[in-house]
Amino acid sequence: MKTPKLLFVVLLLNACSASYGQDSIQIEQKNKLFSVIPGNTKMVLSGIGWFGFQAHLNNTDKTTPKNTFNDFGFSPMFLWKLSDKFFFESEIEIKNDGTADNSAAFDLEFAKLSYRLNKYMTFGAGKMLSPFGAYNERWEPNHIERFPNAPLRPDDGVLPDDTHLFWGAVMGLDVRGGIPMGSAKMNYTVYVSNGPKLHTEKEMGGVLQYENWNDNNTNKEVGGRIGFLPFTNSSLAIGFSGKYGIASNQGDSLYKNIGAKAFAVDLSYVKSIEAIKSTINIRGQYSSVMVDKTNYQLTDTSFYTFDNMMQSYFAQITFRPSMVQNKYIKKTELMFRYGDVTPPKDAIWCPKDKNGNGGSITRMDIGLAYWISWRIGLRF
């Protein structure tokens, strides 16, 4: 099942750096940044600002304007070096909340305190970006994401509630670091966090919610990711993630000890190719979540069950002629992305086609970016 075809144009102004460097060595880069700052306590303020316009060229929804200035905001990011071992990082997002009066919405995206034990191990705690997969920590920020929109994912545009399988933030603790392997590298993250919440309402039975600030049971989710960079120049990164937690409510005898396990595979490849005088950037991620089988209430007196497994993936490639002589062409970047979300087809909340059958939801994105400078870009 495909979503309705929608052509749109979005303008995004980005006020932070955009880098082609491999995102999976971000911890090493942060440590280098802090190492050159003198003194024991220093603050670095960074951030992004954006402004957007959207036009629906084939709009069948008469209640939605065909074109509108629809998106604007500012996200200051704080990096605070408390000592040679401790540092704090946080982001606050301030944006249009989508209401008619265009009032602002404030959201604490993440706030995390970290202690660097040595160059191979760092401990962290707080509201942290989900370390599951590569998208959330490494590719989702606006100054890293090439498109003006996010890839198709199991959010409230597809499901009756955001699953947040591989994005958003979680409350917990993590241990992370990097390990040299000759000419190759490996990085790792192991974490403990509040577990997912399992919806058991009649119309939403089986839907997961991973952004759970207060855990609904005494069990905790455990997970981790291992990343490999096999080449000396770190142009290729491959990651493997997994997590498991109890999702049912504490003391709920009907849905007792219902667990949810998930895994993901991600890949990133960045390469400047002299033969075509261009830089290519390839990214992709596959994610899957499985919930233990149980009976969900259909009516006051009847129950039903289904295989509660959901899969999603996206793959994208961008092409920038960064080594050509023309100063305008070298600033352009062509982008293509394809995404798929497959909810459990027998769930009553799974999107259905006109024949009442569940299946995959797919979307194709085609984009163009123009980099005015190394930190300001227009994206369409």
Side-chain angles (χ1 to χ4, degrees):
M1 177 172 62
K2 293 186 177 181
T3 54
K5 293 182 180 178
L6 203 63
L7 299 178
F8 61 92
V9 178
V10 177
L11 172 65
L12 179 66
L13 193 61
N14 188 339
C16 192
S17 68
S19 170
Y20 281 98
Q22 190 55 257
D23 302 321
S24 58
I25 56 174
Q26 58 179 342
I27 296 175
E28 180 181 343
Q29 292 172 338
K30 286 179 182 177
N31 290 336
K32 287 182 179 178
L33 171 65
F34 289 130
S35 67
V36 300
I37 299 175
N40 291 325
T41 303
K42 291 291 182 180
M43 173 79 77
V44 175
L45 174 62
S46 182
I48 54 175
W50 67 93
F51 176 80
F53 175 82
Q54 180 169 309
H56 295 262
L57 304 183
N58 183 20
N59 187 14
T60 58
D61 183 1
K62 303 303 182 182
T63 64
T64 303
K66 275 198 168 185
N67 48 71
T68 178
F69 293 101
N70 71 317
D71 192 24
F72 59 88
F74 169 58
S75 289
M77 301 177 188
F78 301 90
L79 299 177
W80 186 11
K81 181 185 177 185
L82 300 167
S83 69
D84 290 338
K85 293 290 186 179
F86 283 97
F87 66 91
F88 176 81
E89 55 184 334
S90 180
E91 178 184 356
I92 300 173
E93 186 173 77
I94 308 167
K95 66 178 181 179
N96 173 24
D97 63 0
T99 59
D101 61 356
N102 283 330
S103 58
F106 294 77
D107 188 20
L108 180 63
E109 292 287 289
F110 62 88
K112 183 181 179 184
L113 178 67
S114 297
Y115 174 75
R116 184 172 180 250
L117 180 64
N118 53 50
K119 64 180 180 180
Y120 304 115
M121 185 176 295
T122 299
F123 296 90
K127 181 182 180 182
M128 56 189 184
L129 295 176
S130 174
F132 180 78
Y135 172 77
N136 191 58
E137 280 194 323
R138 306 167 192 275
W139 306 338
E140 188 271 343
N142 280 333
H143 59 288
I144 298 175
E145 171 62 77
R146 314 328 260 180
F147 282 87
N149 62 338
L152 185 66
R153 57 193 185 182
D155 62 7
D156 54 11
V158 177
L159 307 176
D161 190 18
D162 286 316
T163 293
H164 283 87
L165 176 58
F166 58 81
W167 79 101
V170 295
M171 293 289 292
L173 311 169
D174 72 354
V175 181
R176 62 178 62 212
I179 301 174
M181 303 172 61
S183 60
K185 303 181 186 69
M186 184 188 84
N187 53 55
Y188 68 90
T189 304
V190 180
Y191 68 95
V192 179
S193 70
N194 289 341
K197 173 186 176 182
L198 179 68
H199 285 289
T200 57
E201 306 92 313
K202 296 175 184 177
E203 69 280 1
M204 294 175 59
V207 176
L208 282 180
Q209 169 57 264
Y210 273 100
E211 278 196 329
N212 194 2
W213 308 134
N214 296 303
D215 210 344
N216 58 340
N217 56 60
T218 56
N219 297 281
K220 293 293 172 279
E221 182 175 74
V222 295
R225 178 184 180 274
I226 296 177
F228 297 97
L229 295 88
F231 302 146
T232 305
N233 61 2
S234 300
S235 59
L236 175 66
I238 304 172
F240 303 91
S241 303
K243 58 182 178 179
Y244 176 80
I246 299 298
S248 51
N249 289 325
Q250 184 77 24
D252 191 334
S253 58
L254 186 60
Y255 302 99
K256 188 176 182 180
N257 294 328
I258 303 300
K261 53 181 176 291
F263 70 91
V265 179
D266 59 80
L267 180 145
S268 175
Y269 181 70
V270 182
K271 180 68 173 178
S272 295
I273 304 175
E274 180 64 34
I276 58 175
K277 297 186 179 301
S278 301
T279 301
I280 61 170
N281 190 325
I282 300 173
R283 292 175 182 163
Q285 181 169 306
Y286 170 86
S287 307
S288 176
V289 60
M290 293 149 282
V291 181
D292 293 343
K293 201 165 187 178
T294 188
N295 293 318
Y296 297 99
Q297 196 166 12
L298 187 59
T299 67
D300 291 339
T301 58
S302 63
F303 294 80
Y304 84 116
T305 188
F306 58 92
D307 291 328
N308 197 353
M309 177 179 179
M310 181 161 53
Q311 304 175 75
S312 64
Y313 69 85
F314 73 91
Q316 73 179 51
I317 181 171
T318 68
F319 173 88
R320 180 175 177 178
S322 56
M323 293 177 279
V324 300
Q325 295 298 317
N326 188 286
K327 65 179 182 180
Y328 299 108
I329 294 178
K330 69 191 302 180
K331 295 180 179 180
T332 61
E333 187 172 9
L334 302 175
M335 308 177 292
F336 174 81
R337 180 172 63 198
Y338 183 84
D340 179 284
V341 175
T342 305
K345 64 179 182 179
D346 296 324
I348 61 174
W349 43 264
C350 173
K352 305 293 194 295
D353 62 18
K354 63 181 180 180
N355 298 317
N357 299 317
S360 296
I361 299 94
T362 62
R363 195 184 78 202
M364 184 190 309
D365 299 319
I366 300 173
L368 171 68
Y370 183 80
W371 298 102
I372 298 174
S373 72
W374 66 276
R375 58 182 178 180
I376 301 177
L378 302 177
R379 306 181 192 180
F380 301 89

